[in-house]
Amino acid sequence: MIRFDKVGMRYGQGDEVLSDISFDLAPGSFHFLTGNSGAGKSSLLRLIYLSQQPSRGLIHIMDEPMNAASRDTRVQMRRRIGVVFQNYRLLDHLTTFENVALPLRIKGATEEQVKREVRELLEWVGLANHMHSLPSTLSGGQKQRASIARAVINTPRILLADEPTGNVDSEMAERLMQLFMELNRIGTTMVIATHDPRWVGQYPAPQLHLEAGRMRMIPAAEKAPAIP
Amino acid sequence: MSQTKLEFLPSGQTHRGLLNWVIGIMVFLTGMSIVAGIQLGLMAEDWRLSAADSLTVQIIHPKPDQRDQQTKAALAVLNSTPGVASARAMNDGDMSALLAPWIGDTGLIEHLPVPQLVEVKLMPGAAIDLQALEALIVDSAPNAAIDTHEQWLDDLLALAQAAQLIALSVVVMMVVATIATIVFTARSSLLAQQEIVAVVHMLGATDNTIAGAFQQRFWGVGLRGGLIGLGLVALVIGGVYFFSLNVQSAYLPQVTFHATTVIILALLPLVTGFITMLTARRTVKRVLAEMV
Ligand SMILES: Nc1ncnc2c1ncn2[C@@H]1O[C@H](COP(=O)(O)OP(=O)(O)O)[C@@H](O)[C@H]1O
Ligand SMILES: [Mg+2]
C-alpha cells in the first residue's frame, strides 16, 4: 500500500532529515510512527501525502510510482489519502460543516450528497451540535474531531494522523483512538505518528520507529523505547 | 442534483477595493489615449480628402488694379483647364472672415495689400499637371503662384501621426503597467491566502480549481475597474462636447465621435476584465506550479 525504497529527504540545501528509509505497509494495516520530537515523523508523513518530494529513493503509493508522477496523478492520489494534521489546519472562515464538506466539494460531489454525508459524519464524531460553528469557537478536542471528519469524509484508503492525541485530554485521546481503530476495522490503512508511549503500549500495533533520521521496525509485541 | 460550488476563499479583501480604482484610472488614461488616437486619425483623413481636390492660386501685387487684372487672366486660364471644377476669386468679405481671427473685424482689410486668393476646386480624381498649369497661368498673370496645400498638409499629417504614435505608446505602457499591477496583487493575494491554498491543495484540489477561484474574483475587479475608467472617459468627453457646443469658434474642429471610437470604448470594461482575469490565472498557476 505504501512502499519506500531507500528514501532520503532534505529540506532545501540542508542535511538529510530522513535517510535510507525502506518499508512496505500492507493494505488495511495499522502502524504507529514513533520517535522523539524532531526525529522526522512529520516529514515522513509529508512524503506519503505528497506534500514533499524525496531527494532520493523510490516511493510507491497504492502500487503507483510517485517520484515522477504527473500533477494529475498526484491530485487523484491526494483524494484517496486522508490526513489529520498536527495543528488541525481547519479553514478559520468556514463553519465546521463547510470545512468537513471541502474534500467532497473539491471532488465535485452533488449538494445532496454533501449534505447527507457531512451530517452523518458529524454525528458520528459527535459534532452534530457544532455544525455551524466556526473553528475558533471549538475546543481542541472538537477541532481534532472536525479535522478527522474532514480526513475521512472521502473514505480514504490511507489515513495519516500527525500526533492526533497531542493537544487533547486523555479521555478525548481515548475516544479518538477508538475512532481510528474503527476506521482501521473497515479497511483503512492507518499510520499514526505519536511520541506518546502510552498509546503504543495500550494498542499493540507495529511501530515505524525513527531515530536520527533512520528507521527501524518494531513488531507489535515489543514495548516502545522509553523517551530519555 | 446540482454540483456544489467550491468557495474556499474568504470574502472581502481590502486591497482589491483599491485595485478597482487603480485599474479604473489606468483604463481612463488608456481610453483617453485611444479616443485621441482614433479622432486624430479621422481628422487627418478629413484634411487629406479636403486638401486633395483643392488648390489655391495667389496673386501678389501691391497695386489693386494690376491685381484685379491678373486675377481675371488667371481665372480665364483656370476655367478653360480640363479637370477644374470651379475657380472663384475670394472677395473682400471672404478675406476679412479669413483674417478676422488675427486682425479683428475692423475694416482694416481694405487698406492692407493682401494678396488676392483664387479658390480652385478640382474634379475628383482629376490628374492635372500642376507645373504646366502654373506656367500657363504665369504667362498671363506674372505674379501668380499655385499653392497646392501639400507642404502644409504633409506637416499636419506628420504631426497627427506623431501624436497618434504617442497615444499608442501610452496605451501600450498602460496595458503593461496594469498587467504588472495585477500580477503583484494576485501574488500578494495568493500569499495572504497561502495556508488556505496549501490546505485545499492537499485536499486534492487541482491547480485549475484553485486558479479558478482567484480568477473569478479578479474578473470582477477588472470589470469594475473598467467600468470606473469608462465612466471617467465619458465624463471628460461629455465635458469637452458640452463646451464645444457653447464655444463656437473657427479654431475648434467639429467634435464628432466615430462609431469605432464608441465601440472600442464600450468594449473596454470587458477587455479589462478578461486581461485581469487571465493575468491572475497565469500568476496563480505559476505560483502553484512551485508547489509539489
Ligand atoms: N519545513 C521545514 N524546513 C526545514 N526544516 C524542517 C522543516 N520541517 C522540519 N524540519 C526539520 O526536519 C527535522 C524533522 O522534523 P519533523 O519531521 O517535524 O520531526 P517530528 O515530526 O518527528 O517532530 C527537524 O530537524 C526539523 O527541524
Ligand atoms: Mg511533527
Side-chain angles (χ1 to χ4, degrees), chain B residues 44 152-164:
Chain B
W152 167 83
L153 185 67
D154 284 352
D155 287 351
L156 211 56
L157 290 183
L159 192 69
Q161 240 167 28
Q164 272 188 306

Side-chain angles (χ1 to χ4, degrees), chain A residues 11 17 35-44 46 52 86 162-163 210:
Chain A
Y11 289 100
V17 297
N36 294 336
S37 184
K41 302 184 293 296
S42 298
S43 304
L44 181 60
R46 274 179 209 133
Q52 290 282 341
Q86 192 159 8
D162 199 353
E163 316 243 8
L210 284 171

Side-chain angles (χ1 to χ4, degrees), chain A residues 71 78-79 89 93 105 111, chain B residues 8 195 204 207 288 292:
Chain A
R71 272 185 103 66
R78 281 191 193 103
R79 293 182 181 181
R89 301 187 78 170
H93 66 288
R105 295 202 196 282
E111 192 59 50
Chain B
F8 60 85
E195 170 66 8
D207 292 356
L288 287 175
V292 179

Side-chain angles (χ1 to χ4, degrees), chain B residues 40-97:
Chain B
L40 271 169
L42 294 171
M43 249 151 75
E45 184 62 13
D46 267 1
W47 294 332
R48 210 180 54 70
L49 285 177
S50 63
D53 55 3
S54 74
L55 49 86
T56 306
V57 177
Q58 294 187 51
I59 294 107
I60 304 170
H61 199 283
K63 290 198 183 119
D65 54 335
Q66 268 290 318
R67 210 155 62 213
D68 288 349
Q69 195 201 322
Q70 289 199 23
T71 302
K72 282 201 185 79
L75 279 172
V77 172
L78 284 165
N79 281 327
S80 62
T81 304
V84 171
S86 72
R88 190 181 70 91
M90 287 185 137
N91 56 34
D92 284 353
D94 295 334
M95 293 307 288
S96 10

Side-chain angles (χ1 to χ4, degrees), chain A residues 197 200-202 207 218-225:
Chain A
V200 185
Q202 202 165 332
Q207 298 168 49
I218 304 179
E222 280 182 42
K223 268 222 153 268

Side-chain angles (χ1 to χ4, degrees), chain A residues 48-226:
Chain A
I48 305 176
Y49 64 72
L50 309 173
S51 125
Q52 290 282 341
Q53 290 268 48
S55 39
R56 61 193 174 89
L58 296 177
I59 297 178
H60 284 77
I61 313 265
M62 299 176 209
D63 291 328
E64 280 199 59
M66 282 296 119
N67 292 63
S70 70
R71 272 185 103 66
D72 267 351
T73 309
R74 293 171 168 280
V75 165
Q76 293 311 322
M77 201 53 89
R78 281 191 193 103
R79 293 182 181 181
R80 298 154 81 186
I81 302 174
V83 187
V84 179
F85 299 102
Q86 192 159 8
N87 40 6
Y88 325 122
R89 301 187 78 170
L90 298 169
L91 302 190
D92 293 332
H93 66 288
L94 297 182
T95 62
T96 308
F97 182 95
E98 287 304 326
N99 264 291
V100 174
L102 215 45
L104 285 179
R105 295 202 196 282
I106 286 172
K107 201 171 71 166
T110 64
E111 192 59 50
E112 199 180 59
Q113 188 186 2
V114 169
K115 282 215 175 82
R116 181 165 36 82
E117 293 188 10
V118 174
R119 287 228 173 92
E120 212 170 275
L121 187 56
L122 283 177
E123 264 163 40
W124 189 59
V125 298
L127 285 176
N129 294 329
H130 298 277
M131 237 184 256
H132 305 297
S133 314
L134 291 175
S136 54
T137 65
L138 299 180
S139 72
Q142 289 168 333
K143 283 188 213 175
Q144 191 63 276
R145 280 179 284 154
S147 96
I148 291 171
R150 184 181 65 184
V152 302
I153 187 81
N154 260 343
T155 50
R157 308 267 319 272
I158 297 173
L159 184 70
L160 310 172
D162 199 353
E163 316 243 8
T165 58
N167 300 316
V168 296
D169 60 44
S170 46
E171 193 194 336
M172 181 57 67
E174 186 75 40
R175 283 174 60 188
L176 293 177
M177 285 306 294
Q178 293 297 343
L179 205 63
F180 290 140
M181 291 303 184
E182 223 167 306
L183 285 166
N184 180 235
R185 261 196 295 281
I186 62 173
T188 315
T189 307
M190 309 278 293
V191 179
I192 298 183
T194 181
H195 67 259
D196 190 343
R198 257 185 313 162
W199 305 116
V200 185
Q202 202 165 332
Y203 297 91
Q207 298 168 49
L208 308 169
H209 185 73
L210 284 171
E211 225 171 286
R214 301 199 170 251
M215 209 199 72
R216 176 160 69 88
M217 272 282 201
I218 304 179
E222 280 182 42
K223 268 222 153 268

